[in-house]
Amino acid sequence: VTLQAMPDRPTRKDALDAVELLEGLLIEFPFVDDPSHSVGLSTLITPVVRGCMDVAPMHAATAPTAGTGKSYLFDTASAIAIGSRCPVMSAGKTEEELGKRIGAKILSGSPLICIDNANGELGGEDICHAVEQPIVEVRVLGKSEMPKAVNRFCVFANGNNMTVHGDMTRRTLLSSMDRKTERPGEYPFKSDPVRSVLADRGKYVAACLTIVRAYFIAGRPSVTDTPMNSFGMWSNSVRSALVWLGYADPCETIETARDNDPELQQLTQFIIACEKDIGTGKNNAVSTSEMADMVHGKMQNMADYANLREACTPFMPRGILNTMQLGKWLGRMRKRVVGDLHIAKRTSNGVNSWFLAGK
């Protein structure tokens, strides 16, 4: 690629001109709000400047229906970063399978890992580690060994009504799009962002570099009071450069992802139910077997535990509470704060009891 000439000390005006060039690529993408639009810009910029940071958050795109432009956004970013459309892979049927597929991509040295059509929920330990850890232990297909690899890649994901759950919510910038038509795939794009990039790729690479470099030359002025601790280098470069230029904070979309997290929603319902039907504190600690007695009417009136029964529905196949499944879930959710409360555990004579504790 032949880079366009860039000023040695780009100014804010140079950065604004550069971001205007990138805006021309995104003009027809139907972002639902300004933070989602900022995530779109970060999607274009981050892979180009990835070498100046140890890790970068996952960039994800979601929309109500197929054909809205989610994959096209990543194709445009890939065209700038590596000069071709974005290579993709499917999520697989399980989190373990996804982890192995991500591992294969990491070992191949791919600078872009794009999970395509991740419809529904996306999360798990493997993808969390791949996004956040500077050194990643990689699952290898067909082998028990886990070699280590340096994190030098960007992770993308897209899906219809896609949500991220658990710890992935704080690791994900979620760009929402909505064409607001029944068949968005039939929308006639007037421009062709990928072709525009490939026709003069160096111009767009230079624009991405100019935006971040201009912010550095300006002394990296503080533009946000909310740190992004796991991704400090990305936050102090791409994120801050965009906010410095007057764009919405792309990290605002993290709160949207958190609000839509099905795992958090389930935990919130459970904590509210326990607070109403059982109470808080160690004196109200109960085992999963005692919870089973409560929801099945073996302790007082079943109506006294209506909220708890509803909150335990995901653990009640065929109407019977699976205490082992519930216990494992409580162990995973332990200490995660919702409001002022979290699930805590105490053990007596080898039996675990659970209760709600304050911060």
Side-chain angles (χ1 to χ4, degrees):
V1 60
T2 302
L3 286 179
Q4 177 178 292
M6 294 179 286
D8 290 336
R9 299 183 62 82
T11 63
R12 189 172 186 274
K13 173 63 167 59
D14 293 322
L16 287 170
D17 291 343
V19 82
E20 183 178 354
L21 179 67
L22 298 184
E23 286 277 23
L25 301 174
L26 300 182
I27 192 168
E28 293 186 82
F29 286 91
F31 300 110
V32 301
D33 53 28
D34 291 339
S36 291
H37 180 85
S38 292
V39 174
L41 285 169
S42 178
T43 302
L44 303 184
I45 298 168
T46 299
V48 176
V49 298
R50 179 65 177 82
C52 76
M53 59 194 74
D54 51 358
V55 292
M58 182 172 80
H59 289 66
T62 183
T65 52
T68 305
K70 305 180 298 294
S71 298
Y72 204 23
L73 173 63
F74 297 137
D75 281 339
T76 304
S78 180
I80 297 173
I82 62 175
S84 67
R85 288 183 177 271
C86 191
V88 301
M89 67 179 192
S90 62
K93 296 181 179 180
T94 65
E95 290 181 358
E96 182 178 0
E97 185 178 350
L98 172 61
K100 291 180 178 179
R101 293 184 179 193
I102 290 175
K105 279 286 189 180
I106 293 173
L107 291 178
S108 74
S110 176
L112 300 177
I113 299 174
C114 184
I115 306 164
D116 193 42
N117 292 325
N119 303 330
E121 299 176 21
L122 182 65
E125 289 185 358
D126 290 314
I127 189 170
C128 284
H129 293 161
V131 171
E132 187 181 40
Q133 296 301 318
I135 304 294
V136 185
E137 286 193 334
V138 179
R139 289 180 185 264
V140 180
L141 286 167
K143 297 183 179 180
S144 58
E145 64 188 55
M146 293 186 70
K148 295 180 180 180
V150 178
N151 190 332
R152 288 289 182 264
F153 45 84
C154 288
V155 180
F156 296 156
N158 70 75
N160 300 328
N161 293 316
M162 185 188 77
T163 59
V164 290
H165 68 80
D167 285 344
M168 274 308 295
T169 57
R170 68 178 182 83
R171 296 170 166 92
T172 303
L173 305 173
L174 185 62
S175 180
S176 299
M177 302 184 197
D178 191 353
R179 190 70 69 184
K180 296 184 178 179
T181 62
E182 183 179 356
R183 298 175 181 177
E186 297 178 0
Y187 174 82
F189 268 84
K190 299 179 179 63
S191 61
D192 188 336
V194 173
R195 179 177 291 182
S196 296
V197 170
L198 295 180
D200 193 356
R201 181 181 162 218
K203 178 172 64 175
Y204 295 95
V205 172
C208 295
L209 294 172
T210 297
I211 290 166
V212 176
R213 180 162 171 74
Y215 174 68
F216 284 8
I217 293 297
R220 300 190 188 187
S222 178
V223 291
T224 175
D225 296 326
T226 306
M228 196 178 185
N229 294 330
S230 297
F231 305 100
M233 292 182 180
W234 172 85
S235 179
N236 293 330
S237 53
V238 179
R239 175 198 187 190
S240 294
L242 288 172
V243 176
W244 176 62
L245 293 175
Y247 287 90
D249 186 348
C251 288
E252 289 181 26
T253 65
I254 293 175
E255 193 62 31
T256 301
R258 185 178 185 275
D259 290 342
N260 293 330
D261 175 11
E263 191 174 85
L264 178 60
Q265 292 171 353
Q266 181 182 359
L267 176 61
T268 301
Q269 182 186 19
F270 187 87
I271 285 178
I272 291 173
C274 287
E275 185 179 18
K276 288 181 178 179
D277 293 357
I278 300 175
T280 63
K282 289 183 179 180
N283 292 337
N284 290 307
V286 293
S287 66
T288 54
S289 295
E290 289 172 319
M291 290 185 197
D293 289 341
M294 291 173 181
V295 301
H296 294 310
K298 296 180 181 179
M299 293 178 66
Q300 301 181 32
N301 191 328
M302 188 183 297
D304 293 337
Y305 301 103
N307 297 300
L308 181 63
R309 180 180 177 84
E310 184 176 354
C312 286
T313 299
F315 311 105
M316 297 175 66
R318 298 179 296 279
I320 304 298
L321 182 64
N322 186 322
T323 55
M324 183 177 295
Q325 185 182 14
L326 174 59
K328 289 181 178 179
W329 181 79
L330 289 169
R332 285 198 302 111
M333 296 297 104
R334 188 164 62 102
K335 296 185 179 181
R336 185 173 180 183
V337 176
V338 175
D340 294 323
L341 297 172
H342 66 272
I343 295 170
K345 180 180 76 171
R346 72 176 185 182
T347 303
S348 178
N349 298 322
V351 177
N352 293 329
S353 295
W354 308 90
F355 62 95
L356 296 183
K359 287 184 179 180

